Amino acid sequence: MNIFCAGLNHRTASLQIRENFAVKQEEMAELLGRLRARDGLSGAVMLSTCNRVELYASSLCPLQTLDGFHTILKERVGSDVPLYYHTTPEAVRHLFRVASGLDSMVLGETEIFGQVKKAYSFSVERGVTTRPLHRLFQHTFRVAKQLRTETQITRGASSIGSVAVQLAEKIFGQLDDCRVMILGAGEVSERTARSLQSRGVRSLIVSNRHYDKAVTLAAQIGGMALHFDHWEKNIRDVDIIISATGAPHAILTVEKLQPHLRHRRGCPLFIIDLAVPRDVEPSINKMQGVFLYDIDSLQKIASESIDIRRQEIVHCESLIAQHVREFLLWMRKNPFMSFSCCS
Amino acid sequence: MTCCMRHLPFQLSLVLSTLFYFSSCLSSLLGFRSRGLRPGRFDWMVIALGVLAQSWFLMTQGAMEHACPIRTLPEVMIFLSWAIGLFYLVVGTTYRISLMGAFSAPLILALQSIALLLPGAKMPLESSINPWIELHAALSLIAFGAFGLASISAIMFLVQEKQLKSQHPTTIFHYLPPMRLLEAVTLRLLWLGWVLLSISFAAGWLPSHSISGMKFGISLLVWGSYVLTLFLYHKHRVGAHHLALMAILIFFFALMIFPVMRYISGLYF
């Protein structure tokens, strides 16, 4: 028996190709059924995300399984498929790397862990997994968790939106009760607002020089539009301000903010200035209870996080190598795992 | 196990607890230096073992003296560090603040080390120990345990605030909890400490035991400082930053002044 893995990902195929091969959950059961009908394949788990379509299988004849997978995908899209494939032990190592985020487009991202878990559960529910696959995936989850807790591979945030969310969470904790005011209805502020929304923010106010644009964005993100003349009065009621207007000078100064702070009863205020030129006077950061971040400081934090993650790759790879050896040892101890007809 | 514990010299348990706290400090220090700080179960476990060893010491000492073991300055410091450790075990778990161990252990270790180095000359035992006075003294120290941990939480708050203000947060930023949580923990511990201290004052008053004017004055000053801080905070006259500063200042003032006062007055703590 061999552990086998084949597929395509963001490194081997462009987005245009990947979107053709993406497998919806409704189709997956049928595909898994067809694959299992092939000789030599005992169990299979299929992972389909925006960055990869991969098959993990326990198979007596890996090449035959590869051929079957290739044919099925080719039939679906009507063109040739640029597939890569691995067998034991490389397939085991590959899965460990994928689940830990080492093979992801954004190094160390954690979403893939949930996606692998979901793919495995899907196969378990349909009874298309085998003992080696159970063991492999349980081991994979253990590896991913260990890497997450014992290394810095998931440390920090890697985009401006996620850095903003991380900072907000370090100030306020839960963001459910936070009120956000967006100044300027541009794409950057919208993306940042959506990142905050994804972490629980419910109350959003959008203010823009052109009121109709504020109304449009407010409708898109489920917020409330506000005339630009009134945004200053709302400072005392909001916790986070995202500013990205096209103003040629600072629209928020110490003098403007000072009177409102008295009414905030000690509540912290987080200001995210995404505008160039800046909308917020830098000296505002010196005020008690006010935390100001501009686009450069956010970008710097994101870059540093990525650097830290990169430095951790060697450590992660050595931990993974150790786990691969452990898994191979288990395979060797189980006689039903030790043979294959072709590999 | 029980048999071993029975024969374990109680002084050894004190050394053991010091070693436990030392290992907690060491692991945090090494973690910080290697940027691989992993606060969590280890800190909690080691501090729990330290508290357990201290409890054994205090219990044995108390049984020997037939009194609450706070008759010497070293005993007082051990009791105080024990109270801080105990509060950490509860608060750290309740609020899931694993890093609090890394901040608490140095303070506990410092108190315990000073206690081990100080000469333990005992105050003469009074012919009859007043249980109200015992309660007063013990409760005061437990209250200061809460104030001690409040000051730890306040230090963590100020560190996190500085990290966020710097716009260039370092590794510790990722491990520190949110500022609002630290503010809430500090506030609750201050309230708890203040309630316990007030009860201890009442217990001290009940038997009409004579107290020195200076001790009463200083105690009232500390108690009043906490009242004023809490009052100003709730009236929104001071924010979380000043609440944290006051929590630290009052605790360390008390920590310095009470031992000095005890030697001057020569009275029961």
Side-chain angles (χ1 to χ4, degrees):
Chain A
M1 186 77 69
N2 218 315
I3 297 291
F4 164 82
C5 152
L8 51 95
N9 65 16
H10 58 278
R11 287 202 189 86
T12 62
S14 65
L15 179 62
Q16 200 182 355
I17 297 171
R18 292 202 311 274
E19 62 193 6
N20 285 331
F21 287 101
V23 183
K24 285 180 192 154
Q25 205 158 37
E26 308 88 66
E27 299 170 279
M28 210 175 269
E30 187 240 322
L31 276 180
L32 285 170
R34 283 178 65 189
L35 277 165
R36 278 202 87 195
R38 300 227 157 214
D39 278 346
L41 190 132
S42 50
V45 174
M46 191 179 277
L47 176 66
S48 178
T49 71
C50 52
N51 282 329
R52 65 185 69 242
V53 179
E54 283 177 342
L55 173 76
Y56 294 90
S58 51
S59 169
L60 284 170
C61 301
L63 289 178
Q64 208 172 316
T65 308
L66 173 67
D67 184 50
F69 186 46
H70 189 262
T71 312
I72 289 171
L73 288 184
K74 201 172 168 182
E75 279 169 15
R76 280 188 73 232
V77 293
S79 65
D80 205 17
V81 193
L83 282 184
Y84 53 76
Y85 83 99
H86 306 293
T87 55
T88 326
E90 202 45 45
V92 176
R93 197 177 85 92
H94 181 75
L95 179 59
F96 288 173
R97 292 185 82 252
V98 167
S100 310
L102 286 176
D103 200 51
S104 297
M105 191 182 263
V106 178
L107 181 67
E109 59 101 1
T110 50
E111 203 182 338
I112 187 69
F113 179 74
Q115 289 165 330
V116 172
K117 251 187 161 175
K118 207 172 158 189
Y120 167 68
S121 304
F122 186 82
S123 288
V124 170
E125 280 162 20
R126 276 146 194 87
V128 289
T129 47
T130 54
R131 194 175 160 219
L133 280 181
H134 278 304
R135 182 81 183 200
L136 174 67
F137 276 85
Q138 292 307 329
H139 203 135
T140 303
F141 302 143
R142 200 145 44 89
V143 173
K145 278 178 193 167
Q146 190 190 352
L147 261 61
R148 194 190 296 180
T149 52
E150 292 185 13
T151 73
Q152 311 260 336
I153 198 67
T154 58
R155 180 62 58 228
S158 50
S159 68
I160 285 181
S162 52
V163 171
V165 168
Q166 189 188 43
L167 292 167
E169 283 178 335
K170 285 293 181 189
I171 297 170
F172 303 102
Q174 296 283 328
L175 300 182
D176 305 43
D177 298 325
C178 283
R179 292 148 300 177
V180 179
M181 180 158 67
I182 304 163
L183 302 176
E187 200 187 324
V188 193
S189 43
E190 182 197 336
R191 273 209 303 268
T192 313
R194 283 196 192 278
S195 296
L196 289 166
Q197 260 184 328
S198 72
R199 298 310 290 256
V201 166
R202 286 193 295 263
S203 173
L204 289 147
I205 300 167
V206 185
S207 189
N208 194 58
R209 278 189 205 283
H210 302 287
Y211 184 68
D212 50 335
K213 282 189 181 173
V215 173
T216 310
L217 180 59
Q220 280 171 4
I221 60 175
M224 195 181 80
L226 181 77
H227 281 284
F228 203 70
D229 301 337
H230 303 310
W231 73 265
E232 275 183 56
K233 286 177 197 158
N234 279 269
I235 292 176
R236 60 187 68 175
D237 299 321
V238 297
D239 303 296
I240 302 169
I241 298 175
I242 303 170
S243 188
T245 71
H249 53 267
I251 58 165
L252 188 55
T253 58
V254 172
E255 291 72 36
K256 277 186 186 173
L257 190 57
Q258 193 71 59
H260 298 290
L261 283 187
R262 268 182 244 126
H263 299 279
R264 293 185 55 80
R265 300 181 161 231
C267 289
L269 176 66
F270 179 32
I271 304 173
I272 306 163
D273 185 1
L274 301 170
V276 181
R278 285 178 285 186
D279 280 343
V280 186
E281 203 173 69
S283 52
I284 273 183
N285 192 44
K286 288 181 189 150
M287 297 171 88
Q288 199 72 64
V290 182
F291 303 92
L292 169 68
Y293 280 77
D294 60 29
I295 196 145
D296 269 7
S297 48
L298 293 171
Q299 191 61 59
K300 205 172 170 187
I301 295 171
S303 310
E304 277 174 4
S305 296
I306 294 288
D307 285 346
I308 289 172
R309 290 180 186 190
R310 281 202 192 107
Q311 286 165 20
E312 285 294 293
I313 292 177
V314 178
H315 185 198
C316 290
E317 294 288 8
S318 77
L319 285 173
I320 284 176
Q322 204 177 313
H323 279 284
V324 171
R325 279 197 294 276
E326 256 177 52
F327 187 77
L328 294 181
L329 197 69
W330 176 82
M331 282 179 85
R332 257 182 244 126
K333 279 182 186 166
N334 290 273
F336 64 89
M337 296 291 298
S338 60
F339 62 88
S340 62
C341 66
C342 53
S343 59
Chain B
M1 178 71 184
T2 320
C3 175
C4 292
M5 288 293 279
R6 202 175 292 147
H7 294 294
L8 182 77
F10 71 98
Q11 291 92 343
L12 181 66
S13 63
L14 200 58
V15 176
L16 263 178
S17 73
T18 313
L19 286 175
F20 284 130
Y21 293 131
F22 177 72
S23 60
S24 169
C25 292
L26 194 68
S27 98
S28 306
L29 193 72
L30 293 175
F32 276 124
R33 286 189 64 176
S34 65
R35 289 209 310 186
L37 183 69
R38 282 166 214 124
R41 282 187 198 152
F42 179 77
D43 265 345
W44 196 92
M45 288 282 288
V46 171
I47 293 178
L49 287 170
V51 169
L52 205 69
Q54 277 180 320
S55 306
W56 176 253
F57 168 82
L58 291 169
M59 210 172 71
T60 318
Q61 188 83 338
M64 277 166 56
E65 293 176 359
H66 301 290
C68 192
I70 42 176
R71 290 173 51 233
T72 66
L73 187 59
E75 281 178 359
V76 165
M77 293 183 109
I78 292 162
F79 197 94
L80 178 60
S81 63
W82 170 80
I84 295 173
L86 205 62
F87 276 116
Y88 158 70
L89 295 179
V90 178
V91 173
T93 314
T94 312
Y95 291 97
R96 298 172 68 91
I97 309 176
S98 44
L99 196 67
M100 200 172 235
F103 280 79
S104 308
L107 175 65
I108 301 172
L109 180 70
L111 289 170
Q112 181 109 323
S113 305
I114 295 167
L116 281 170
L117 293 172
L118 279 175
K122 293 219 178 319
M123 298 299 296
L125 268 174
E126 289 176 19
S127 52
S128 61
I129 296 165
N130 190 321
W132 287 107
I133 295 299
E134 289 247 292
L135 180 70
H136 158 71
L139 267 182
S140 295
L141 285 173
I142 293 172
F144 276 98
F147 289 139
L149 199 66
S151 69
I152 296 291
S153 170
I155 290 170
M156 290 169 78
F157 174 91
L158 293 175
V159 172
Q160 186 67 303
E161 187 188 45
K162 192 169 165 44
Q163 288 280 316
L164 282 157
K165 279 274 183 193
S166 72
Q167 297 181 333
H168 191 254
T170 56
T171 312
I172 195 170
F173 161 82
H174 300 290
Y175 296 108
L176 280 166
M179 283 173 55
R180 290 308 282 268
L181 177 67
L182 289 168
E183 183 184 341
V185 170
T186 308
L187 186 67
R188 281 174 197 177
L189 281 167
L190 286 178
W191 270 114
L192 177 68
W194 182 78
V195 169
L196 288 171
L197 194 64
S198 304
I199 297 171
S200 96
F201 278 6
W205 270 107
L206 276 174
S208 309
H209 196 274
S210 63
I211 46 168
S212 76
M214 190 174 66
K215 184 191 170 190
F216 178 74
I218 300 273
S219 303
L220 197 68
L221 178 70
V222 170
W223 182 85
S225 302
Y226 279 120
V227 172
L228 185 69
T229 305
L230 289 167
F231 174 80
L232 291 175
Y233 177 80
H234 284 288
K235 285 283 167 195
H236 304 291
R237 297 295 169 119
V238 293
H241 177 85
H242 288 104
L243 179 81
L245 276 179
M246 292 300 285
I248 297 164
L249 285 174
I250 302 171
F251 175 73
F252 283 98
F253 167 74
L255 202 64
M256 298 293 159
I257 200 76
F258 279 120
V260 173
M261 198 181 69
R262 182 188 176 280
Y263 271 105
I264 294 168
S265 65
L267 281 171
Y268 216 97
F269 188 82

